[in-house]
Amino acid sequence: MAVPVRTDAARLAPVEFTSAEDAAAFIEARCLDDGPVGQVGLEIEAHCFDLADPLRRPGWDEISDIIASVPALPGGSRITVEPGGAVELSGPPAEGSSAAITALLADRAVLRAEFERRGLGLVLLGADPVRPTERVNPGLRYQAMETFFAASGSAGPGAAMMTSTASVQVNLDAGPRDDWSRRVRLAHALGPTMIAITANSPMLGARFTGWKSSRQRVWGQLDSARCGPILGADGDDPASDWARYALRAPVMLVNTPDAVPVTNWVPFADWADGRAVLGGRRPTEADLEYHLTTLFPPVRPRRWLEIRYLDSVPDALWPAVVFTLTTLLDDPEAAAIATEATAPVATAWDRAARIGLTDRRLQEAAITCVAAAAERAPVALAESMEQLTRSVQEGRCPADGFADQVVGHGIASAMSQLVKGEL
């Protein structure tokens, strides 16, 4: 049977929304995939430092040239560069956390070796402790983001978020549709406890901020319409919660070839309803999909669950952190334990970031959650899990170790050891 061939114009003709209700329906139908759990995708960001001069920020051309020389990565990760020059590895989905961890460790070893050969170190820390904010990635998206943050009165936090923070991101299947609400609620409830466990950014701008996770503090200084949790009043319908959140959030840029920043507050709903006109038109499906990539809640639906609230932590620790978080969400018995343990601190986002495991209730939740994961950990992760278990039992997070080095030996010595991998 002959199949009629659509013209390029017909195939590429953009479909504009006629109302915010249409846009909401589009989001709800696509935000989460119904299916089993089990796949795990990992992303890890590392600050790029000059081994000989930790105060120097390597430039775009310098970093790009090194990346071009990196041999094929055994785990298949993609390499990208954040606005401030942090280098990110994004691994493909793997069956289970152990496979994802093994692949990313292998890729990071290859990447680190090539950067070190060229005189640069890739440091896993939640925030750059010493260097002032500076964008080196020339991408139009990041230029537009700078303009948007400046116009909205959050230029400082926006610049710090883009150029001075780094995280470990865990991507998990959304799971069966009838379990979405429980699963999304637990992913949020785990946030404060996991932030307290992984807090690893006590300094920003060459000073102690008074927070264990200055990274989380920076995110908290940005507008909650774009960066706050997405849960509604009861969290029973995460798809509609996400649609409501996305439509209320202001449009950051119109994604024409020039990435035009929007410098006044225009909720996406107003654009879709025609109450505001951007780019001389109403938004298309492509505009909405791009808008969703400019929203940064701690748990973001991307068909899967993108968990974004962990500080970047050292290689000795992040495998145990990833296994713990994945187990507490994917293993039914561990999830039940975590649900009960985190209930008293499920909304303690700021307290977790500020004082970490020195808070008694956060430490109790952390001990229970990590113990549940440790009981299920494979032998290959024993050493990392033992270190994580010991840390939470002592009420310490990674930030404490770095802070001790700075206080005891000075920032110059601590940074020198850090970038050389001696901390």
Side-chain angles (χ1 to χ4, degrees):
M1 178 182 296
V3 178
V5 178
R6 299 173 63 189
T7 65
D8 287 346
R11 186 171 64 250
L12 299 177
V15 177
E16 294 185 359
F17 290 107
T18 58
S19 69
E21 288 76 12
D22 288 343
F26 180 88
I27 295 170
E28 291 178 21
R30 293 164 174 79
C31 68
L32 295 173
D33 282 344
D34 183 13
V37 302
Q39 289 193 112
V40 179
L42 300 178
E43 302 175 29
I44 190 164
E45 297 168 339
H47 300 287
C48 184
F49 284 93
D50 186 323
L51 294 175
D53 181 7
L55 295 181
R56 184 181 78 85
R57 187 182 294 273
W60 172 254
D61 291 341
E62 182 178 3
I63 295 172
S64 298
D65 182 57
I66 297 175
I67 290 175
S69 69
V70 174
L73 297 179
S77 293
R78 183 169 57 96
I79 308 170
T80 55
V81 182
E82 295 298 302
V87 179
E88 180 179 58
L89 280 175
S90 302
E95 289 299 324
S97 59
S98 293
I101 290 165
T102 299
L104 197 63
L105 280 170
D107 288 352
R108 179 161 156 76
V110 172
L111 190 70
R112 284 184 63 189
E114 184 62 23
F115 269 73
E116 288 173 0
R117 187 178 72 82
R118 304 284 287 272
L120 301 182
L122 297 177
V123 175
L124 300 178
L125 201 66
D128 185 331
V130 291
R131 296 177 300 192
T133 59
E134 179 187 356
R135 179 173 59 83
V136 299
N137 188 324
L140 295 176
R141 171 185 170 97
Y142 302 127
Q143 295 178 36
M145 288 177 70
E146 279 184 337
T147 302
F148 172 87
F149 285 128
S152 63
S154 54
M161 179 273 284
M162 289 198 298
T163 70
S164 297
T165 63
S167 71
V168 174
Q169 184 173 296
V170 181
N171 302 313
L172 302 177
D173 288 318
R177 182 182 298 273
D178 60 6
D179 199 35
W180 284 353
S181 60
R182 181 205 62 81
R183 192 164 167 78
V184 172
R185 281 198 301 268
L186 179 55
H188 282 81
L190 280 164
T193 298
M194 295 304 300
I195 287 169
I197 289 172
T198 62
N200 191 32
S201 45
M203 297 184 68
L204 193 65
R207 67 179 183 86
F208 285 106
T209 64
W211 291 60
K212 303 281 189 179
S213 175
S214 301
R215 173 185 176 274
Q216 188 66 23
R217 182 195 184 200
V218 165
W219 283 101
Q221 291 173 325
L222 297 170
D223 66 86
S224 60
R226 168 164 267 104
C227 301
I230 67 172
L231 286 182
D234 54 23
D236 285 342
D237 188 353
S240 64
D241 286 345
W242 178 228
R244 189 178 305 109
Y245 181 104
L247 294 176
R248 289 176 177 174
V251 180
M252 177 176 280
L253 61 92
V254 178
N255 191 32
T256 66
D258 296 325
V260 179
V262 179
T263 55
N264 54 327
W265 189 277
V266 179
F268 194 93
D270 287 1
W271 191 14
D273 277 334
R275 290 191 295 270
V277 177
L278 301 175
R281 55 177 173 78
R282 290 200 187 194
T284 65
E285 293 177 357
D287 289 317
L288 177 52
E289 289 178 340
Y290 194 86
H291 172 66
L292 296 178
T293 72
T294 70
L295 308 181
F296 310 110
V299 180
R300 183 166 66 175
R302 295 286 302 276
R303 298 188 179 273
W304 58 90
L305 298 181
E306 188 180 80
I307 299 173
R308 307 171 50 84
Y309 45 60
L310 304 173
D311 272 16
S312 193
V313 294
D315 285 311
L317 201 59
W318 70 255
V321 168
V322 166
F323 181 83
T324 295
L325 182 57
T326 303
T327 300
L328 297 177
L329 281 163
D330 284 2
D331 181 286
E333 292 182 1
I337 293 169
T339 298
E340 181 178 358
T342 59
V345 291
T347 60
W349 298 90
D350 282 354
R351 189 161 78 251
R354 189 173 64 253
I355 63 176
L357 295 177
T358 60
D359 179 276
R360 177 182 57 81
R361 296 195 303 169
L362 283 164
Q363 186 188 16
E364 289 173 353
I367 289 172
T368 300
C369 287
V370 170
E375 291 175 359
R376 295 160 172 81
V379 173
L381 290 178
E383 186 175 347
S384 186
M385 284 302 309
E386 287 173 7
Q387 181 172 327
L388 183 62
T389 299
R390 184 167 57 252
S391 295
V392 299
Q393 289 176 344
E394 294 174 353
R396 288 175 63 84
C397 58
D400 296 321
F402 179 65
D404 289 347
Q405 289 292 324
V406 172
V407 171
H409 304 284
I411 185 62
S413 174
M415 286 303 302
S416 178
Q417 292 183 65
L418 183 71
V419 300
K420 293 175 182 177
E422 298 170 358
L423 279 185

